Amino acid sequence: MSDSQRPSPSQYVGYLCGRTLPDSMQDWVRNDLVGPGASVRYVLRFMLPVAAVLALFLLIPGPIWIPLAMMALLLLPLLYFAVALMNIYRRHRLLSHGLDPDLVGEKAQRRADRTREDYERRHGRTEDQ
């Protein structure tokens, strides 16, 4: 991938905030949303800004476990919902960039197809069914 297809820093910040990148960067967007490490990037982009704000709880006086427990009470449900809504968000971003939203499930579908082919190769397929 050449440097001309990568977003500039201002485009990248806009992309992180939900803006659409130009069509010339669709390969970059596709790789970002469904390429290797896409899930990890999504979770980190979602959790790091929130964790930075919640770090202010560490300024509360008292035993350290109190602010850590308060942070955990907010971070754990947030992480749960972020992961639960990940595919919906990634499909939306693909669609907003003019890409096929079914790309999100492409890897799982290929794996299922390989498993089915392997099963049929090993056990054969009956014509009765």
Side-chain angles (χ1 to χ4, degrees), residues 11-30:
Q11 286 175 320
Y12 185 70
V13 170
Y15 173 76
L16 291 178
C17 294
R19 287 198 184 127
T20 303
L21 292 175
D23 290 343
S24 62
M25 296 182 194
Q26 281 191 343
D27 288 338
W28 185 88
V29 171
R30 177 190 168 136

Side-chain angles (χ1 to χ4, degrees), residues 50-96:
V50 176
V53 172
L54 291 180
L56 294 173
F57 280 125
L58 295 173
L59 299 175
I60 295 175
I64 190 70
W65 67 268
I66 292 175
L68 289 177
M70 290 167 43
M71 289 171 63
L73 283 172
L74 295 171
L75 280 176
L76 291 176
L78 183 66
L79 178 62
Y80 174 81
F81 284 107
V83 171
L85 297 173
M86 177 173 32
N87 286 341
I88 294 170
Y89 176 76
R90 288 171 39 199
R91 284 177 193 272
H92 165 72
R93 292 305 305 257
L94 285 167
L95 192 60
S96 69

Side-chain angles (χ1 to χ4, degrees), residues 40-57:
V40 173
R41 281 192 299 274
Y42 166 81
V43 170
L44 286 176
R45 287 178 189 158
F46 197 85
M47 297 301 289
L48 285 179
V50 176
V53 172
L54 291 180
L56 294 173
F57 280 125

